[in-house]
């Protein structure tokens, strides 16, 4: 797991502080959501979706990873959660590059009523995201373009 961002990922979740999330997400990361048909491309969108998911799961009755399978620069993290009495099974599939930046993040969730609940909650989180958070996300994109 040399240069693996998994350690940082777990530390952020444990501390409930994901303010440094953009440091482990590559500029060209692709995020695959269980509720959005089209892959979301780029660091800004990946961070936005992960921030919303983080907030949603922090409000859950519980969230925990129960299994981790790592091979080379790929990981499958199986999780369980409960929100409003609905049990959620999911898998985060994470791929990172040699620089230790996540280049793909795919989330799969079951059962169907869990997907419906996640969709409702994610839409609420994304619409409630503060203007300040949205400006920070947009500012990162502008700053990254200026640096390039």
């Amino acid at each position: 797991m040399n240069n693996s961002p998994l350690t940082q990922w777990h530390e952020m979740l444990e501390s409930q502080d994901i303010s440094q999330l953009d440091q482990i997400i590559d500029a060209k990361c692709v995020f695959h959501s269980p509720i959005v048909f089209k892959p979301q491309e780029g660091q800004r969108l990946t961070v936005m979706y992960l921030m919303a998911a983080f907030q949603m799961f922090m409000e859950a009755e519980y969230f925990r990873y129960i299994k981790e399978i790592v091979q080379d620069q790929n990981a499958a993290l199986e999780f369980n959660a409960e929100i409003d009495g609905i049990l959620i099974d999911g898998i985060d599939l994470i791929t990172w590059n040699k620089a230790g930046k996540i280049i793909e993040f795919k989330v799969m969730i079951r059962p169907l009523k869990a997907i419906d609940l996640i969709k409702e909650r994610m839409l609420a989180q994304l619409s409630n995201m503060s203007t300040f958070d949205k400006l920070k996300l947009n500012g990162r994109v502008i700053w990254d373009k200026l640096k390039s």
Side-chain angles (χ1 to χ4, degrees):
M1 283 200 332
N2 195 16
N3 274 342
S4 167
L6 290 180
T7 301
Q8 293 166 306
W9 175 254
H10 287 303
E11 287 172 357
M12 283 188 278
L13 294 180
E14 181 71 27
S15 68
Q16 297 185 5
D17 178 9
I18 59 168
S19 61
Q20 305 301 310
L21 184 59
D22 60 334
Q23 292 182 9
I24 62 170
I25 305 294
D26 189 77
K28 295 182 180 179
C29 186
V30 177
F31 181 78
H32 301 270
S33 168
I35 61 168
V36 178
F37 176 71
K38 183 180 177 191
Q40 304 300 299
E41 298 182 7
Q43 182 189 53
R44 181 179 67 87
L45 287 174
T46 301
V47 168
M48 182 180 72
Y49 276 93
L50 290 175
M51 285 175 65
F54 173 81
Q55 291 293 20
M56 177 189 60
F57 281 117
M58 288 302 108
E59 295 170 3
E61 283 81 7
Y62 68 85
F63 173 91
R64 65 179 163 258
Y65 283 113
I66 59 169
K67 191 182 299 181
E68 184 172 301
I69 302 167
V70 180
Q71 182 180 24
D72 301 323
Q73 292 167 245
N74 301 286
L77 307 177
E78 183 180 356
F79 64 86
N80 292 138
E82 182 179 345
I83 299 175
D84 293 345
I86 296 176
L87 301 177
I88 300 165
D89 293 315
I91 296 175
D92 291 335
L93 295 174
I94 303 170
T95 302
W96 59 93
N97 59 23
K98 292 183 181 190
K101 301 274 190 170
I102 295 172
I103 57 173
E104 183 178 39
F105 202 112
K106 184 182 293 185
V107 181
M108 294 184 279
I109 292 178
R110 64 167 300 281
L112 182 57
K113 69 177 168 179
I115 293 171
D116 292 338
L117 175 68
I118 296 295
K119 180 178 181 180
E120 176 186 317
R121 291 292 178 97
M122 285 292 290
L123 290 173
Q125 285 295 334
L126 291 168
S127 66
N128 289 333
M129 188 177 280
S130 74
T131 302
F132 180 68
D133 286 337
K134 289 176 185 174
L135 287 172
K136 284 194 310 187
L137 287 170
N138 288 331
R140 283 187 199 131
V141 171
I142 293 168
W143 176 248
D144 290 341
K145 286 182 181 181
L146 290 173
K147 289 191 314 187
S148 301

